[in-house]
Amino acid sequence: MKFLLFLFVGVVHLLSLNSGKAIYKNDICQRTFQEIKEEIACYGDVAKAIINLAVYGKAQNRSYERLALLVDTVGPRPSGSKSLEKAIQIMHQNLQEDGLENVHLEPVKIPHWERGEESAVMLEPRIHKMAILGLGSSIGTPPEGITAEVLVVTSFNELQRRAPEARGKIVVYNQPYTNYSRTVQYRVQGAVEAAKVGALASLIRSVASFSIYSPHTGIQEYQDGVPKIPTACITVEDAEMMSRMASRGSRIVIQLKMGAKNYPDADSFNTVAEVIGSKYPEQPPISILHIAGLRMKVIVVLVSGHLDSWDVGQGAMDDGGGAFISWEALSLIKDLGLRPKRTLRLVLWTAEEQGGIGAFQYYQLHKANISNYSLVMESDLGTFLPSGLQFTGNEKARAIVEEVMSLLQPINITQVFRAGEGTDINFWIEAGVPGASLLDDLYKYFSFHHSHGDTMTVMDPKQMNLAAAVWAVVSYVIADLEEMLPRS
């Protein structure tokens, strides 16, 4: 009986260590914030070594050159395409050749949509061929297209007020751009709202901060019980022109043709690689755990970006840059011979553009171990000159992250902002795991986002070096601290 009691107490103690959480006595953490602050300060030399290697040393421009090779070779990588699967296989081989550990592919099912041939021609009040991009998951038009009069609106409220005018027409949305999160609702919901009032199709002003006659695609969503109508994005310039025409009382007629098709779900993979932790590896180091039928679980700091893109441009910015600085972070740590206490796990997501499809399946597969995730990180807002880190977590965790960011003073990137997020990591954040995302020039990002302009020409190797340095320092230090980030 004493042995069983000893075994129970021992296992409970080991599990408390395995959780990666602070040890508590009488509900009071034994380590003060000052002690944690002093611990973080000791990483100054490590942070400088990472920065020197990434920004000034032999690794400078490496993430840029790696990215250029992939996107020049493969091109855009839409969900369900052969080019995406080719990119995944190339990356799987690249990560193995880089000497990372536990490199593997985790199978998932993802949507497969193709835009086909598409065109839009204004027939009245004059002939004008318009630049369009069909929106993801849209249905196509009949082969002869849809020819109809246009109703131009600037908001969903205006559409509701003018609902009787919309029946049998093509609704054109000329919504003003305020910011992405507010304006994107027109792209996502525009077809549904137009269909509710009897429209035949919808054309949405591109959700972009700047335009040089560039349509910007993206996902849209249908709604059960609402007729599906074709939908595409048009340029800011054409949306504003038609708005002016309509305000003068001109009759506008458009012929829209779209060959878009949805196919059965395709097989794909999330791509995973690690630097295995020195203190919390996924292996049973003590025989007592075998006696109890238990295994030590891996404690993880997750860094990520998504490998898929839309079918225009090269997907270099969205999200090739984020995927490749995440790979670079592990490469830098490996090259310096560093091994954090917790495992650094790289995940290159698939089918993010369709709403985080690959990431959701990863979450479903791994959520049983949610208490073992110290931090989830995703770079999916560009890899231009970083402004700092966005973070979501409690105030104690934020204070720790602010101290970690102070280690980046040599490159003057130390700010911590609110609202760390990412389509692929939001599942974890909503469940209480601290989350972080890289923040940089969003005006520039949304100028090229989901457009033909998303190519390597947008990317800057020096800025990618800095982004990689931030990503590597933050992920390594958080993974190596004595305690996991606290959470509510």
Side-chain angles (χ1 to χ4, degrees), residues 2 13 46 90 104 131 139 168 199 201 343-344 355 387 415 442:
K2 288 182 180 179
H13 176 65
V46 171
I90 290 173
H104 64 280
I139 64 169
T343 292
L344 278 174
S387 306
Q415 293 191 80
L442 295 184

Side-chain angles (χ1 to χ4, degrees), residues 283-303:
Q283 60 186 28
I286 302 176
S287 59
I288 191 171
L289 293 173
H290 291 296
I291 297 171
L294 300 171
R295 297 181 73 231
M296 291 282 280
K297 292 180 180 179
V298 61
I299 311 298
V300 172
V301 168
L302 184 147
V303 293

Side-chain angles (χ1 to χ4, degrees), residues 426-468:
N426 282 344
F427 307 109
W428 300 90
I429 293 172
E430 290 167 5
V433 178
S437 48
L438 194 67
L439 181 65
D440 54 39
D441 186 348
L442 295 184
Y443 181 87
K444 181 177 181 180
Y445 180 77
F446 287 114
S447 296
F448 297 98
H449 182 246
H450 294 182
S451 77
H452 287 287
D454 181 358
T455 68
M456 283 304 298
T457 302
V458 179
M459 310 304 287
D460 183 313
K462 292 183 173 60
Q463 293 179 350
M464 285 189 72
N465 294 340
L466 293 168

Side-chain angles (χ1 to χ4, degrees), residues 415-426:
Q415 293 191 80
V416 179
F417 302 92
R418 300 280 172 180
E421 56 87 30
T423 298
D424 299 302
I425 61 172
N426 282 344

Side-chain angles (χ1 to χ4, degrees), residues 268-284:
S268 188
F269 303 91
N270 292 316
T271 308
V272 182
E274 294 178 341
V275 173
I276 295 175
S278 62
K279 190 173 181 180
Y280 304 109
E282 191 175 20
Q283 60 186 28

Side-chain angles (χ1 to χ4, degrees), residues 100-333:
L100 297 177
E101 299 164 306
N102 196 21
V103 178
H104 64 280
L105 300 175
E106 297 189 2
V108 294
K109 287 284 190 180
I110 62 174
H112 181 194
W113 172 85
E114 295 181 8
R115 72 175 60 257
E117 297 294 322
E118 54 190 15
S119 65
V121 180
M122 179 191 293
L123 303 178
E124 297 181 32
R126 64 179 176 89
I127 301 296
H128 170 58
K129 187 175 181 180
M130 302 167 62
I132 69 166
L133 285 174
L135 294 177
S137 79
S138 175
I139 64 169
T141 65
E144 68 275 15
I146 294 172
T147 301
E149 188 175 346
V150 163
L151 173 67
V152 182
V153 298
T154 59
S155 67
F156 290 139
N157 286 338
E158 182 181 358
L159 178 63
Q160 292 304 313
R161 291 197 305 270
R162 302 179 65 184
E165 301 175 56
R167 184 165 296 279
K169 294 182 180 178
I170 296 173
V171 169
V172 170
Y173 291 95
N174 183 37
Q175 77 285 347
Y177 181 85
T178 52
N179 60 43
Y180 184 76
S181 60
R182 291 179 183 174
T183 313
V184 76
Q185 63 181 315
Y186 288 92
R187 189 194 76 205
V188 175
Q189 303 170 19
V192 165
E193 295 305 317
K196 287 178 180 177
V197 293
L200 300 179
S202 64
L203 297 173
I204 290 91
R205 169 177 165 157
S206 288
V207 183
S209 51
F210 178 77
S211 178
I212 48 171
Y213 202 69
S214 51
H216 296 243
T217 190
I219 196 67
Q220 68 87 36
E221 296 175 357
Y222 290 123
Q223 189 177 106
D224 290 342
V226 178
K228 294 180 179 181
I229 62 174
T231 183
C233 61
I234 58 176
T235 67
V236 171
E237 292 86 345
D238 280 341
E240 291 186 341
M241 178 183 70
M242 286 188 281
S243 185
R244 293 192 301 270
M245 288 176 168
S247 70
R248 299 184 194 116
S250 297
R251 182 175 185 265
I252 306 169
V253 176
I254 286 177
Q255 182 186 61
L256 176 67
K257 292 183 178 181
M258 293 175 59
K261 290 183 179 179
N262 288 283
Y263 295 91
D265 285 354
D267 294 320
S268 188
F269 303 91
N270 292 316
T271 308
V272 182
E274 294 178 341
V275 173
I276 295 175
S278 62
K279 190 173 181 180
Y280 304 109
E282 191 175 20
Q283 60 186 28
I286 302 176
S287 59
I288 191 171
L289 293 173
H290 291 296
I291 297 171
L294 300 171
R295 297 181 73 231
M296 291 282 280
K297 292 180 180 179
V298 61
I299 311 298
V300 172
V301 168
L302 184 147
V303 293
S304 68
H306 66 86
L307 203 53
D308 65 299
S309 71
W310 283 105
D311 56 340
V312 292
Q314 290 183 301
M317 180 193 74
D318 183 18
D319 181 34
F324 275 69
I325 68 160
S326 295
W327 172 18
E328 183 68 13
L330 269 67
S331 288
L332 292 167
I333 290 161

